[in-house]
Amino acid sequence: MIYVFLTSIVYLILISIIYFSKKRVDNYDNKIYSIIILLNIFGLFLDTIQYSAIKANMSELIIIIFNKIFLVYILIWTSLFSSYILSLAKKDSLSDILNKIKYAILFCGVILVLLLPLNIVHEGTEVYTTGFATFIVFICVPLNILLMSISCIKNLKNDKKSISKYVPLLLFLLSGTISTVLQFINPSILLTSPCEAFITILTYFFIENPDVKMINQLEIAKDQAERANRAKSDFLSSMSHEIRTPLNAIVGFSEDIQSHKDTADPEIVEDADYILEASQTLLEIVGNILDINKIEANKMEITEVKYNFKEEIENLAKIDATRIGEKNINFKINLAPDIPYELIGDKTHIKEIVNNLLTNAIKYTEQGEIELNVKCINKDKISNLIISVRDTGRGIKAENINKLFTKFERLDIEKNSTTEGTGLGLAITKALVEMMGGKINVQSQFGQGSLFVVQIPQKISMMADPNQTVEINITSPQSIINEPKQEEIVVKTESVQQSTQPNKSTITYPNKKILIVDDNKLNIKVARKALQDFNFEIDECYDGQECLGKVVNGNEYDLILMDIMMPNMSGETAIAKLKEKPNFNIPTIALTADAVAGAREKYLSEGFIDYIAKPFKKEQIKEKLDLVFNNNSNTSSSSSINEEPPTEVLNQEVETSKYDPNVDRFKDVPAYVVDSEDNLENTNNE
């Protein structure tokens, strides 16, 4: 028997060395298991001493003392193992009750073992102890096993995958029952502590192995994080939809007021301007939160399309110029003449990058100048765009440069507390630039201004307007140093406001009929007002079921504008049922507040011909109408390269002695190139 004890001790010590030498998570069940190991080693030594004392025929008092200590050890070990098994289950009212019962069993058992008598029995050469104290242990151990079994059954009902955790408990039931029966038949056989050592070792391999446990905990944490991320995405998507729906009415009615500026009260028109400005800010905040969520979830996609870069940037700059308001700022755009007429790339995200840089400059510049410069290096069908935004704003302290691209980080909060925004713009810009294979770097001098430079490669579709005869030389990378003469556009807010007004010569469609499907009557009214200048015949209905009925009953339409989230029948269900009709060929556009990543692709795959996100503008509606009815007569062409004089839009006259455009304020300021891991590398910016 002594060899069994010694073998158990050796194995248990080896497991202890391995267990305590590895890193462990500092939690409740790890702490309990650590105590179980140490207590089990103590119990094996105690059992060995007790066995040796009996074999050496020591005095009965010493044997009884050792035996009572051993019986208390059994109660404590069993209670600790119960605590460990109970800790594996989810915390609830039942586990609390089981824990209280376990402590009551332990307390009563220890008191009774110490108080009740214990007898020594001699049967031939065998010596063992018996009495009421021994029977108390035989009662308490099965009670603890019962508590563990209840917890095990309850947990397995909720999580059947966790059965491996309870293998030690099942083996404890089996081995404990066998050893108890054997000891009841032959009390001189001492199997309790070796049995407990066996269970402790098994527990290590099945549950408590730090490597396996850490992997399991990482898997659990990963699943929880993914569920939380999905819940966050669903919440943000729902929030975006709920905010965009009323914003659609606010923007639509405000634009309608602006379209009557010649007849409406000037104060009302001015209020409409403020409402539109505030709505745009709110929409940008929602958009930024959705964008950063898409980026974090790796759902942001780069969609390449053909686009006229100059035209898009000029239009964007005119819109951004309206944000200058009453500030004394000259806003200049310099576009290199060798920028290709048509590029292939993600037009939406290119515009978002430029827009973020410009709005950032406008926010933090009170007077002076903001300059947007775009140059390019054209080589091997790739145009490497170099977009820079220079301002005379507040500038950034050197120690704060590394915080620029951190999410939700805003510098000098006390000074910038009145500046609108979430602190996400530059973080999104950096992520988008990197997704398109580009780089962003920054130079700034506190109190003098900042310079942001973005380099993004784009594919070349056409070097020149096919309707014009233009000669453009493909430049080498070195020639960028010798800057070609650029088109300079000086933008001013007064003229921009005029340019954003509806075109009175809008092409009309008197013989076309449109059906608007939306459960929100305000949204229908907004859509009607957006379409009123086109002279359509307009019909309306309030859910997909009603739309389906109108089409099935023979109503003919040239276009359907359909909302998605509607009662009775959603837009997605409605388009699916309409597509089942063999003769259905009415172009249908999804007009929805759903603006999450991949929404457009999703709706196109479901049968819609296009997608417009709410809130929308009249220009967006016109663009889609031109596409649907193949009307390109109103498409604006880009300015002739090297054939027209520089475009100048009426500008505010700003005189300031503080700023000299001929002085390079960033000549001696270090440039920081931001890599994909937010590290800033000092470099010389030519």
Side-chain angles (χ1 to χ4, degrees):
M1 199 70 202
I2 193 72
Y3 296 111
V4 176
F5 295 145
L6 293 176
T7 304
S8 300
I9 290 171
V10 169
Y11 276 113
L12 206 54
I13 289 174
L14 288 175
I15 289 293
S16 302
I17 293 170
I18 295 171
Y19 178 73
F20 287 108
S21 65
K22 288 187 176 184
K23 276 191 173 182
R24 303 179 307 281
V25 180
D26 187 20
N27 55 21
Y28 178 70
D29 52 318
N30 277 343
K31 290 176 181 177
I32 293 179
Y33 185 74
S34 300
I35 298 171
I36 287 174
I37 289 179
L38 298 175
L39 188 63
N40 203 178
I41 294 172
F42 168 77
L44 284 167
F45 277 112
L46 185 63
D47 214 1
T48 305
I49 294 169
Q50 177 185 232
Y51 180 79
S52 300
I54 291 173
K55 289 298 181 182
N57 292 319
M58 297 182 71
S59 69
E60 291 188 358
L61 179 61
I62 293 175
I63 293 173
I64 288 173
I65 291 172
F66 275 122
N67 196 253
K68 285 213 171 193
I69 294 172
F70 183 72
L71 292 177
V72 170
Y73 151 76
I74 292 173
L75 292 175
I76 295 174
W77 188 94
T78 308
S79 183
L80 278 172
F81 191 72
S82 297
S83 297
Y84 182 77
I85 294 297
L86 293 175
S87 72
L88 300 178
K90 186 178 179 182
K91 302 296 181 188
D92 56 17
S93 57
L94 178 60
S95 63
D96 290 339
I97 293 170
L98 294 177
N99 272 301
K100 289 176 181 177
I101 295 173
K102 174 200 67 182
Y103 288 127
I105 292 171
L106 175 62
F107 178 77
C108 294
V110 170
I111 296 297
L112 290 172
V113 164
L114 294 175
L115 294 178
L116 292 175
L118 197 63
N119 303 318
I120 296 177
V121 178
H122 296 270
E123 287 186 358
T125 58
E126 301 296 332
V127 179
Y128 58 89
T129 57
T130 186
F132 288 111
T134 306
F135 288 116
I136 291 298
V137 173
F138 278 114
I139 292 171
C140 290
V141 170
L143 286 175
N144 273 290
I145 291 174
L146 178 63
L147 297 180
M148 290 186 275
S149 301
I150 293 171
S151 176
C152 173
I153 293 168
K154 185 209 71 170
N155 201 44
L156 287 176
K157 282 184 179 179
N158 299 328
D159 183 12
K160 293 181 180 179
K161 294 180 181 179
S162 64
I163 190 168
S164 61
K165 295 180 180 180
Y166 295 101
V167 170
L169 173 60
L170 298 174
L171 291 174
F172 180 55
L173 288 172
L174 180 62
S175 61
T177 302
I178 293 171
S179 64
T180 302
V181 170
L182 288 175
Q183 276 199 255
F184 192 80
I185 295 171
N186 187 355
S188 63
I189 300 175
L190 303 177
L191 295 175
T192 304
S193 54
C195 174
E196 289 168 350
F198 173 67
I199 298 303
T200 303
I201 293 169
L202 280 179
T203 303
Y204 173 83
F205 288 106
F206 277 93
I207 305 175
E208 204 57 42
N209 185 333
D211 294 333
V212 175
K213 186 167 186 179
M214 199 164 288
I215 291 171
N216 290 336
Q217 288 178 335
L218 285 173
E219 286 292 330
I220 293 169
K222 180 186 173 186
D223 290 342
Q224 290 175 341
E226 286 176 349
R227 284 198 297 270
N229 193 52
R230 284 195 296 271
K232 180 186 73 172
S233 297
D234 292 343
F235 168 74
L236 290 175
S237 175
S238 176
M239 180 196 71
S240 170
H241 186 278
E242 295 305 316
I243 292 176
R244 283 172 176 269
T245 298
L247 263 181
N248 186 53
I250 295 169
V251 171
F253 290 132
S254 300
E255 278 194 336
D256 187 62
I257 293 171
Q258 284 187 323
S259 68
H260 298 87
K261 62 180 298 183
D262 295 334
T263 57
D265 187 330
E267 188 175 347
I268 293 175
V269 174
E270 185 181 5
D271 289 344
D273 291 341
Y274 294 144
I275 292 170
L276 271 177
E277 186 179 338
S279 300
Q280 186 62 32
T281 300
L282 179 57
L283 189 60
E284 281 184 7
I285 291 171
V286 174
N288 282 344
I289 293 172
L290 284 177
D291 278 348
I292 206 69
N293 182 59
K294 294 173 199 172
I295 291 167
E296 287 179 342
N298 293 320
K299 291 183 179 179
M300 184 68 82
E301 297 176 356
I302 299 299
T303 306
E304 292 189 339
V305 296
K306 295 179 180 179
Y307 69 103
N308 185 321
F309 177 81
K310 282 189 176 182
E311 183 179 288
E312 296 292 342
I313 295 303
E314 287 174 7
N315 291 336
L316 175 65
K318 289 176 182 178
I319 295 170
D320 282 341
T322 61
R323 298 174 178 232
I324 293 175
E326 303 299 322
K327 294 180 180 180
N328 291 323
I329 296 175
N330 275 340
F331 185 16
K332 293 182 179 179
I333 311 169
N334 296 310
L335 303 178
D338 57 345
I339 295 174
Y341 169 74
E342 189 174 77
L343 297 173
I344 300 174
D346 195 323
K347 175 183 74 173
T348 302
H349 289 143
I350 288 284
K351 289 172 66 178
E352 185 173 356
I353 288 167
V354 176
N355 180 65
N356 284 345
L357 294 177
L358 286 177
T359 53
N360 198 62
I362 291 168
K363 281 180 187 177
Y364 297 104
T365 303
E366 298 302 323
Q367 63 177 0
E369 184 170 285
I370 295 173
E371 186 176 10
L372 170 63
N373 268 290
V374 183
K375 297 180 284 189
C376 68
I377 300 173
N378 301 320
K379 186 178 180 181
D380 299 331
K381 291 292 183 181
I382 297 293
S383 181
N384 190 31
L385 297 174
I386 303 172
I387 304 165
S388 65
V389 176
R390 185 193 300 259
D391 65 63
T392 58
R394 301 173 192 174
I396 306 156
K397 295 176 182 177
E399 62 268 23
N400 288 332
I401 293 286
N402 62 344
K403 300 178 184 177
L404 268 179
F405 301 96
T406 304
K407 290 177 293 185
F408 302 106
E409 185 76 43
R410 301 185 68 186
L411 309 181
D412 291 333
I413 298 230
E414 291 182 2
K415 291 184 179 179
N416 300 326
S417 59
T418 58
T419 305
E420 297 170 334
T422 57
L424 289 172
L426 289 177
I428 292 169
T429 299
K430 173 180 171 291
L432 292 176
V433 168
E434 289 172 355
M435 287 175 68
M436 288 187 274
K439 289 184 178 180
I440 181 169
N441 62 325
V442 56
Q443 288 177 280
S444 188
Q445 193 166 358
F446 187 64
Q448 298 294 316
S450 302
L451 170 65
F452 288 86
V453 181
V454 169
Q455 300 175 47
I456 303 175
Q458 297 282 275
K459 298 173 186 174
I460 298 173
S461 174
M462 284 189 287
M463 283 301 303
D465 187 344
N467 299 320
Q468 298 175 354
T469 304
V470 182
E471 291 184 4
I472 298 179
N473 296 322
I474 303 295
T475 63
S476 65
Q478 290 78 12
S479 65
I480 197 66
I481 298 171
N482 303 316
E483 297 180 8
K485 187 176 180 181
Q486 297 176 320
E487 298 178 38
E488 182 172 307
I489 304 170
V490 183
V491 183
K492 166 76 175 185
T493 56
E494 284 90 341
S495 63
V496 171
Q497 289 171 351
Q498 293 173 2
S499 69
T500 57
Q501 298 308 318
N503 186 356
K504 297 300 180 182
S505 60
T506 300
I507 293 175
T508 58
Y509 304 91
N511 299 319
K512 303 290 184 183
K513 188 175 182 181
I514 287 184
L515 174 64
I516 304 171
V517 188
D518 200 310
D519 61 311
N520 190 309
K521 292 186 178 182
L522 277 179
N523 285 336
I524 290 180
K525 191 170 182 179
V526 169
R528 278 184 172 275
K529 286 185 175 292
L531 295 167
Q532 65 186 4
D533 293 333
F534 301 103
N535 204 19
F536 284 106
E537 182 184 347
I538 299 175
D539 193 7
E540 65 184 56
C541 61
Y542 306 106
D543 59 53
Q545 187 67 51
E546 193 176 348
C547 167
L548 189 62
K550 283 180 176 288
V551 175
V552 170
N553 291 333
N555 289 279
E556 295 183 359
Y557 302 101
D558 297 286
L559 178 66
I560 298 175
L561 299 177
M562 187 178 296
D563 187 27
I564 298 300
M565 294 179 66
M566 296 180 289
N568 300 326
M569 184 183 288
S570 69
E572 292 166 294
T573 305
I575 192 66
K577 290 188 176 294
L578 288 171
K579 288 290 181 181
E580 292 173 1
K581 308 297 178 186
N583 299 323
F584 179 77
N585 59 359
I586 303 171
T588 306
I589 296 176
L591 191 63
T592 173
D594 182 8
V596 298
R600 185 176 188 275
E601 292 73 17
K602 173 189 172 185
Y603 294 128
L604 290 180
S605 68
E606 290 175 350
F608 294 95
I609 64 158
D610 216 325
Y611 157 83
I612 301 175
K614 299 174 185 175
F616 57 84
K617 295 187 176 181
K618 291 183 180 180
E619 289 79 4
Q620 290 175 280
I621 292 288
K622 182 187 178 304
E623 181 184 343
K624 302 303 180 185
L625 293 176
D626 288 342
L627 291 173
V628 171
F629 299 119
N630 298 316
N631 185 354
N632 298 317
S633 61
N634 201 37
T635 304
S636 59
S637 60
S638 64
S639 57
S640 174
I641 302 175
N642 291 336
E643 289 187 3
E644 294 183 5
T647 307
E648 181 172 335
V649 185
L650 180 62
N651 189 26
Q652 294 175 355
E653 295 297 329
V654 179
E655 294 183 4
T656 173
S657 59
K658 294 182 179 179
Y659 173 70
D660 184 352
N662 298 316
V663 175
D664 186 359
R665 291 166 292 116
F666 302 101
K667 179 180 177 183
D668 300 318
V669 178
Y672 296 90
V673 178
V674 186
D675 63 21
S676 60
E677 296 179 355
D678 288 347
N679 297 317
L680 295 174
E681 180 184 346
N682 228 322
T683 184
N684 293 325
N685 189 20
E686 293 291 325

